[in-house]
Amino acid sequence: MQPGVYKFINRMSGTAMALDKRDYTRVVGSPPCDDSVQKWEIAPSGAGYTIRNMQTGTHISVKEICPETAVFAGHFPAAWQFTTVKVDDENTELVEIRWPYTEYMFDLADYGSSAPGTKVRVYSLDPRQKSVDILALLQVQLKDDEISPLNRRCRLWKPIF
């Protein structure tokens, strides 16, 4: 991932990652527009990257690392790992945004719902993690490395520079 300012569009819903204008701390999916609540500066931090909102200057973080924890914007930067996923049939490259060294990645709740205000959260496909997500329960039978990243549609984001 190159440093710069990006908008992130969720592959499943087509919505953009944005700060919720009701409190400017919740990170949600919303219809794409030119508003700066949808613009994120990606900057190197060690081996990872920080994600800073261009309107508020706050950084994306989480309060704990466990299934379905909401992503929020706060004043303490956290480093994230970007994993590029090439999608041949769409002739594009997308990214998974992960908590470093874990299977926890950004995910749009409700199976990638396109409803405005849908929470962005961290989620794990690691079968050792307990979850009530039906999709994850079905995948418990598989090893994580057998699950194609292309099947993780609500976990993939298109960075637009």
Side-chain angles (χ1 to χ4, degrees), residues 37-57:
V37 294
Q38 294 184 358
K39 294 179 181 173
W40 304 92
E41 179 187 41
I42 306 305
S45 180
Y49 299 89
T50 59
I51 307 170
R52 184 178 71 89
N53 184 264
M54 295 305 293
Q55 179 164 323
T56 63

Side-chain angles (χ1 to χ4, degrees), residues 6-8 16-18 30-33 35-40 53:
Y6 293 84
K7 182 184 295 189
F8 292 95
M17 185 167 57
S30 65
C33 65
D35 198 322
S36 59
V37 294
Q38 294 184 358
K39 294 179 181 173
W40 304 92
N53 184 264

Side-chain angles (χ1 to χ4, degrees):
M1 188 84 189
Q2 293 294 320
V5 177
Y6 293 84
K7 182 184 295 189
F8 292 95
I9 306 297
N10 184 268
R11 180 181 183 211
M12 181 68 131
S13 68
T15 58
M17 185 167 57
L19 285 183
D20 189 327
K21 289 185 176 184
R22 291 177 287 184
D23 65 8
Y24 292 97
T25 61
R26 291 186 329 129
V27 180
V28 298
S30 65
C33 65
D34 279 336
D35 198 322
S36 59
V37 294
Q38 294 184 358
K39 294 179 181 173
W40 304 92
E41 179 187 41
I42 306 305
S45 180
Y49 299 89
T50 59
I51 307 170
R52 184 178 71 89
N53 184 264
M54 295 305 293
Q55 179 164 323
T56 63
T58 52
H59 293 84
I60 290 185
S61 190
V62 290
K63 293 182 181 176
E64 62 183 336
I65 300 296
C66 66
E68 301 184 36
T69 297
V71 172
F72 78 101
H75 296 285
F76 293 94
W80 295 91
Q81 174 184 348
F82 283 78
T83 303
T84 301
V85 177
K86 184 157 178 46
V87 182
D88 292 330
D89 61 330
E90 295 176 22
N91 194 29
T92 191
E93 287 189 356
L94 304 170
V95 294
E96 290 177 338
I97 305 170
R98 296 176 175 254
W99 188 256
Y101 303 111
T102 73
E103 288 301 310
Y104 286 97
M105 64 187 82
F106 282 22
D107 170 90
L108 195 58
D110 300 326
Y111 305 100
S113 172
S114 61
T118 300
K119 285 186 208 175
V120 175
R121 61 190 184 166
V122 291
Y123 197 81
S124 174
L125 289 180
D126 187 332
R128 295 168 292 185
Q129 302 298 325
K130 295 183 182 188
S131 171
V132 296
D133 187 311
I134 293 170
L135 178 60
L137 288 173
L138 293 173
Q139 293 169 339
V140 164
Q141 300 167 19
L142 303 173
K143 293 180 184 170
D144 187 52
D145 59 359
E146 293 174 346
I147 301 169
S148 166
L150 302 180
N151 292 331
R152 301 176 184 171
R153 292 186 70 89
C154 55
R155 295 167 177 88
L156 294 173
W157 301 84
K158 181 174 181 146
I160 299 173
F161 192 65

